[in-house]
Amino acid sequence: MMPLHFKRLGLAGALLMVLAACASSNPAGSIDAVSQLTQAQTGMPLRLVSDAEGQAARQAAVRELLAKPVDAAAAVKLAMLNNRSVQISLAGLGVAQAELAQAGRIENPTFSFARVRSGDEVEYERAFKIDLLGVLFIPWRQGMASQQLDRAKLQAASDITRLALDTRKAWVNAVATRQSEQYLADVNEAAEASAMLAKRMLEAGNFSRLAYTREQAYYADASAQLARARQASVVAREALTRLLGLSGQEAAALVLPERLPDLPVAPKPFAGSVQAAVSLRHDLQMARFELDALARSLGLSRATRLVNALEVSYLRSDSNEGHRARGYELELQIPLFDWGDAKVARAEAIYLGAVNKAADIGIRAESELRSSYHGYRTHYDLARHYRDQVVPLRKAIAEENVLRYNGMLIGVFELLADAREQVGSVNAYLAALKAFWEADADLEMAITAGSPPAAGSMELAASPTPAAAGH
Amino acid sequence: MTNRRDFLHGAAAGLLGAATVSRVGAASLPEAAIQTSPTMQPPLQPTSGRPYNPVVTLNGWTLPWRMKNGWKEFHLVAEPVVREIAPGMKANLWGYNGQSPGPTIECVEGDKVRIFVTNKLPEHTTVHWHGILLPNGMDGVGGLNQPQIKPGKTFVYEFEMTKSGTFMYHPHADEMTQMAMGMMGFLVVHPKNPAFMRVDRDYVFLINAYDIDPGSYTPRVNTMTDFNLWTWNSRAFPGIDTLVARTNERVRIRIGNLTMTNHPIHLHGVDFEVTCTDGGWVPKSARWPEVTTDVAVGQMRAIEFVANRPGDWAFHCHKSHHTMNAMGHDVPNMIGVDHRGIVEKIQKLVPDYMVMGERGMADMGEMEMPLPDNTLPMMTGMGQFGPIEMGGMFTTFKVRDNQKTGDYKDPGPYQYPKGTVAYEWTGELAEPTRAPAPAADEKTVTVIKPNGHSGH
C-alpha cells in the first residue's frame, strides 16, 4: 500500500482510466464469437436468454419450428434454442468475460481520515490509498483472463457443436427407427394376409393343419418383431426429445419426417475434410492457441513463428483396380531450437510439455479423421450399394415372381414370402442410409468438435429381416 | 450358324418353301441339307431309288439323299439348334440338320444305306438305329459297338434295310443329356411293294419332353420325372401342326416315344388299330380296335383308321397334365377359398396381384396375363366357340369332305351343319331332386378361431 497525496491524484487517475478502459463485462461479443465458430453445425446465432423478453422470443421460435415436420436442421435449431446445456455454456462465457473485466480493474482506492490528538495538538491525517503494484500487474492479469476467455469460448464452441451433432444423430435414429417400424408393419401385414388366407384354406379343406400352422407361426413372429421395432422407435424419439429440451405439449407436438434424407449425389472428398479440420477442429485450435500464448508469455517470440504450422498435404493415387487410395499428411511442426540460456530451462520444460501435448492432439486428430472418413465413405458406398444393387435386384425378383404367379407357376404364399423379403431389403437399405448419416455426423465431429464417439465400431447393415423361415 | 441361316433365308424364296441347301463342298460327302422352318414340309416324293409312298412329319421334314453306286447316302449333322416350341417360346436344343428332332429318314426295304454322321456338338456322340436289324458294329452304342464320334469328326454307318417298318434314331453316347437336349429322329423303312399296307396319308412324329425353367431357354438335362413341357416333335400346343384328311381316306399315324414316361395317345372320332410297332407289322388277326393306345417308353406305334367323320377332332395324350404347358406343381389349390378382405392386404405389398384359382383354373385359358419371358401359358388356344384351354401334347385332326388329296394345309375351323352342335336348353327347368350331400363334421374341417396376433 502506498499512500499518495492528493496532489498526485490527477496523474494516477489518468493512468487508471487508460488501464481499465478496454475490458467490458458484457459477454455478447464472446457469444458472437462462439456463434461464428459453431454456425456451420448449428445454423443459427446463439443467444443467452436472460430476461422475460428473451424467453418469450425463444418460445415463439420453438413453436414456429414445431409447426412443421422437424427436419435435421430444425432439430439442431431446436436443441440450440431449448437444450439447457447451451445456456450453461453461454453462461460460462459470461463468467469468463466478467473475470476479464475484473482483471482490468484496479482495486477500489481507499480513502482514510485520521484525527490524532496529542495533548492540545490535534493532527488530521487524510490519505488516499491505491494498489499501485496491482495496477502494474493489470496487463498481465488481463492477459491471463483473456486467455481464459478464449479457452472458454473454444470449450463452449466444442460443447455446442457436439450437442448439435448428437442432436443430428438422434434425429437420424428417430426417423430411421420410425421408418423401420413402418416397414415391419408392412411385413406384418403380409404375414397377416398369409395367415388369414391359410385360415380360410384350412376352413375350405385345402390346407393341412401343418401348412396352416406354419403361416400362423410366421405371423406370430412378425408381430413380435413389430412390437420390438415400435419400442425401438419410441426410445429413439424420446432420446431426441430430451436433446431438443422438449416437454409436455411441445414434446407431443414434435412431428418427424416420414423418411431419411436421400444419399448425397457424391460423397464429400477427403481433402476437404482435412482442410476443414485444420482450421476448425477446436482441440487443435486450443492447442495451437495455448502453445502460442505460452511461447509469448515465456518470451519465446521466435517459437510462435515456427509452431504456427499444422500443415496438410493430400495424397491421392489411383490403382489399376479402380480403387482410389486416399491419404494425407497432417504435419505438426514442432520447433526445437537452441534455447541458449540456462536461465530459461524452466521455460523450456514447460514449453516442451505443451509442444508434446499439441503433437499428441495432432496425431489423434489425424487418425480420427482417417477413421471417420473411412466410416463415412464405407457407409456411403454401402448405402448406395443397397439402393442401386440390392433393392433393385429384389424388386426385379418380385416382378419376376408376379409373372410366375400369373402363370400359375408359383402360389400366392410364395408371392407373399417374396414380398416380405423385398421389404426386408428396403429395410436393409434404410439401415445402411441411417448408418451413413450417423457416420456423416461423426465425420463432422472429427472435423470440428474433436474426437467422435468410439471410432471403429462400425455397424454394418443387417441382412433382410425377418428371415423367411419355413418358406 | 447365323451367316448360314441368313444365307438360307435369302435362298429359300427361290426354293418353293423347301428350305434345303447344300453346305458340304467335299465331293465325297452327300450334301447335308438343313431345315429351319418349324412347319410341316410336304412329303418328299422319291426321285431316285425304289418307289414308295412318302410320310409326312409333323412340324418336320424328310432328309434328302443321293444314290451312289447302288447305295442310298444320307448326311446327318449333329449340332446345337434353336427350336420354336410354339409361337412365343424358343428353346436351345441339340438336334440334327438345323432342327430338333432331326429330319425323318425314309428308305425302302432292301435299300443299302450309308449314313454319314458329322458331329458339330461340343461333345462326342453316336447314332443308334432303334429297331433296325443290322450288323452289331453299326448299332451305335458308344464304347460297346464303336468309338464315339468326337466333335468335328464324321463317321459312316452302312447297313442294309432288311425289313420295312417304323423306327427311330437317337444318340447312344451321353444318352440322357443328348436326348434331354432333343437329339432324336424318325426312321421309316417303306415296304418294297408300295401297295403293301398302303394308306392315303402317313403321318409321323416323336413324343418328347423337356424341363425348361419358365423364363429360360435351355432344358435342364438331369430332370427325371418333373418335366414341364410335353411335346410332339419338340412342339407344344398351339404350336403342333394340324393333321388333316379327306373324308374316307385311310390314315396312318406313326408315333415314337422317347420321353421317360408312357403316353396314352387318344384320337377322337374314330376307332383305330395298331398296325405296326418298332418290331414290325402287326398281323391283322392280332389287331384290336382302340381309341387310345399307350405308347410306352422307347416304343413305337402306328395306328390306322379310315377318317370317315368330318369335323375337328381332338388328338392328344390322355394324361391330362401332358396337355398343359409349364405349371407350378406346388401351387396350392385355392378352389372355394374366400378371399374377401385379403386381396387388398396383398395388393398393398404386391400391387399387381389378382386372385386366381378361387373357382378353378379355367380363367387361365381366357386371361392374357404377363408371363415370364419365353414362357407359354399353362393353358391356351382359342377355338371357334371359346378358349380351348390346352397346352403340351394336343392338336386337332381335321377331316373334310373337300380336302384335296395330297393337300396338308389346315382347312380352318369346321363349318358345323345346322343342328349338329350341342346347345343350351332354354326351356323350363325344374329343380332336380338331389341326394343330400354329406355334411362336414369335426373330422373333415376344423375351423380355427383367430388367435389375437392382430393386437400387436
PDB file of all heavy atoms in Angstrom, chain A residues 21-34:
ATOM      1  N   ALA A  21      -9.992   0.870 -19.368  1.00  0.00           N
ATOM      2  CA  ALA A  21     -10.944   1.210 -20.419  1.00  0.00           C
ATOM      3  C   ALA A  21     -11.334   0.024 -21.297  1.00  0.00           C
ATOM      4  O   ALA A  21     -12.484  -0.105 -21.686  1.00  0.00           O
ATOM      5  CB  ALA A  21     -10.338   2.304 -21.286  1.00  0.00           C
ATOM      6  N   CYS A  22     -10.412  -0.891 -21.572  1.00  0.00           N
ATOM      7  CA  CYS A  22     -10.668  -1.900 -22.611  1.00  0.00           C
ATOM      8  C   CYS A  22     -11.602  -3.014 -22.201  1.00  0.00           C
ATOM      9  O   CYS A  22     -12.252  -3.639 -23.032  1.00  0.00           O
ATOM     10  CB  CYS A  22      -9.343  -2.479 -23.085  1.00  0.00           C
ATOM     11  SG  CYS A  22      -8.341  -3.028 -21.720  1.00  0.00           S
ATOM     12  N   ALA A  23     -11.720  -3.417 -20.968  1.00  0.00           N
ATOM     13  CA  ALA A  23     -12.462  -4.609 -20.583  1.00  0.00           C
ATOM     14  C   ALA A  23     -13.903  -4.285 -20.221  1.00  0.00           C
ATOM     15  O   ALA A  23     -14.149  -3.428 -19.395  1.00  0.00           O
ATOM     16  CB  ALA A  23     -11.768  -5.286 -19.419  1.00  0.00           C
ATOM     17  N   SER A  24     -14.851  -5.065 -20.904  1.00  0.00           N
ATOM     18  CA  SER A  24     -16.263  -4.908 -20.587  1.00  0.00           C
ATOM     19  C   SER A  24     -16.732  -6.212 -19.957  1.00  0.00           C
ATOM     20  O   SER A  24     -16.167  -7.285 -20.205  1.00  0.00           O
ATOM     21  CB  SER A  24     -17.038  -4.624 -21.872  1.00  0.00           C
ATOM     22  OG  SER A  24     -18.343  -5.099 -21.761  1.00  0.00           O
ATOM     23  N   SER A  25     -17.802  -6.152 -19.184  1.00  0.00           N
ATOM     24  CA  SER A  25     -18.306  -7.386 -18.591  1.00  0.00           C
ATOM     25  C   SER A  25     -19.442  -7.976 -19.431  1.00  0.00           C
ATOM     26  O   SER A  25     -20.005  -9.007 -19.100  1.00  0.00           O
ATOM     27  CB  SER A  25     -18.787  -7.115 -17.167  1.00  0.00           C
ATOM     28  OG  SER A  25     -19.850  -6.191 -17.226  1.00  0.00           O
ATOM     29  N   ASN A  26     -19.761  -7.334 -20.522  1.00  0.00           N
ATOM     30  CA  ASN A  26     -20.845  -7.850 -21.365  1.00  0.00           C
ATOM     31  C   ASN A  26     -20.331  -8.985 -22.258  1.00  0.00           C
ATOM     32  O   ASN A  26     -19.424  -8.775 -23.071  1.00  0.00           O
ATOM     33  CB  ASN A  26     -21.384  -6.701 -22.231  1.00  0.00           C
ATOM     34  CG  ASN A  26     -22.595  -7.138 -23.025  1.00  0.00           C
ATOM     35  OD1 ASN A  26     -22.948  -8.310 -23.023  1.00  0.00           O
ATOM     36  ND2 ASN A  26     -23.210  -6.177 -23.711  1.00  0.00           N
ATOM     37  N   PRO A  27     -20.928 -10.229 -22.156  1.00  0.00           N
ATOM     38  CA  PRO A  27     -20.393 -11.362 -22.919  1.00  0.00           C
ATOM     39  C   PRO A  27     -20.883 -11.406 -24.366  1.00  0.00           C
ATOM     40  O   PRO A  27     -20.596 -12.366 -25.075  1.00  0.00           O
ATOM     41  CB  PRO A  27     -20.910 -12.566 -22.139  1.00  0.00           C
ATOM     42  CG  PRO A  27     -22.199 -12.100 -21.558  1.00  0.00           C
ATOM     43  CD  PRO A  27     -22.076 -10.616 -21.314  1.00  0.00           C
ATOM     44  N   ALA A  28     -21.629 -10.447 -24.811  1.00  0.00           N
ATOM     45  CA  ALA A  28     -22.231 -10.523 -26.159  1.00  0.00           C
ATOM     46  C   ALA A  28     -21.183 -10.791 -27.227  1.00  0.00           C
ATOM     47  O   ALA A  28     -21.383 -11.624 -28.128  1.00  0.00           O
ATOM     48  CB  ALA A  28     -22.979  -9.214 -26.451  1.00  0.00           C
ATOM     49  N   GLY A  29     -20.051 -10.131 -27.100  1.00  0.00           N
ATOM     50  CA  GLY A  29     -19.004 -10.314 -28.099  1.00  0.00           C
ATOM     51  C   GLY A  29     -18.500 -11.742 -28.119  1.00  0.00           C
ATOM     52  O   GLY A  29     -18.330 -12.353 -29.181  1.00  0.00           O
ATOM     53  N   SER A  30     -18.319 -12.306 -26.923  1.00  0.00           N
ATOM     54  CA  SER A  30     -17.840 -13.692 -26.852  1.00  0.00           C
ATOM     55  C   SER A  30     -18.875 -14.659 -27.412  1.00  0.00           C
ATOM     56  O   SER A  30     -18.543 -15.631 -28.103  1.00  0.00           O
ATOM     57  CB  SER A  30     -17.547 -14.066 -25.396  1.00  0.00           C
ATOM     58  OG  SER A  30     -16.600 -13.198 -24.859  1.00  0.00           O
ATOM     59  N   ILE A  31     -20.144 -14.370 -27.104  1.00  0.00           N
ATOM     60  CA  ILE A  31     -21.200 -15.259 -27.619  1.00  0.00           C
ATOM     61  C   ILE A  31     -21.235 -15.195 -29.141  1.00  0.00           C
ATOM     62  O   ILE A  31     -21.377 -16.210 -29.822  1.00  0.00           O
ATOM     63  CB  ILE A  31     -22.552 -14.874 -26.990  1.00  0.00           C
ATOM     64  CG1 ILE A  31     -22.519 -15.240 -25.507  1.00  0.00           C
ATOM     65  CG2 ILE A  31     -23.714 -15.568 -27.693  1.00  0.00           C
ATOM     66  CD1 ILE A  31     -23.740 -14.816 -24.729  1.00  0.00           C
ATOM     67  N   ASP A  32     -21.028 -13.987 -29.657  1.00  0.00           N
ATOM     68  CA  ASP A  32     -20.965 -13.864 -31.116  1.00  0.00           C
ATOM     69  C   ASP A  32     -19.825 -14.694 -31.686  1.00  0.00           C
ATOM     70  O   ASP A  32     -19.971 -15.363 -32.710  1.00  0.00           O
ATOM     71  CB  ASP A  32     -20.746 -12.393 -31.511  1.00  0.00           C
ATOM     72  CG  ASP A  32     -22.057 -11.617 -31.432  1.00  0.00           C
ATOM     73  OD1 ASP A  32     -23.104 -12.273 -31.229  1.00  0.00           O
ATOM     74  OD2 ASP A  32     -22.010 -10.381 -31.553  1.00  0.00           O
ATOM     75  N   ALA A  33     -18.693 -14.626 -30.986  1.00  0.00           N
ATOM     76  CA  ALA A  33     -17.533 -15.382 -31.463  1.00  0.00           C
ATOM     77  C   ALA A  33     -17.830 -16.883 -31.471  1.00  0.00           C
ATOM     78  O   ALA A  33     -17.531 -17.598 -32.434  1.00  0.00           O
ATOM     79  CB  ALA A  33     -16.321 -15.094 -30.581  1.00  0.00           C
ATOM     80  N   VAL A  34     -18.471 -17.371 -30.398  1.00  0.00           N
ATOM     81  CA  VAL A  34     -18.830 -18.795 -30.330  1.00  0.00           C
ATOM     82  C   VAL A  34     -19.858 -19.126 -31.408  1.00  0.00           C
ATOM     83  O   VAL A  34     -19.808 -20.170 -32.059  1.00  0.00           O
ATOM     84  CB  VAL A  34     -19.345 -19.153 -28.920  1.00  0.00           C
ATOM     85  CG1 VAL A  34     -19.930 -20.556 -28.901  1.00  0.00           C
ATOM     86  CG2 VAL A  34     -18.217 -19.031 -27.907  1.00  0.00           C
TER      87      VAL A  34
END
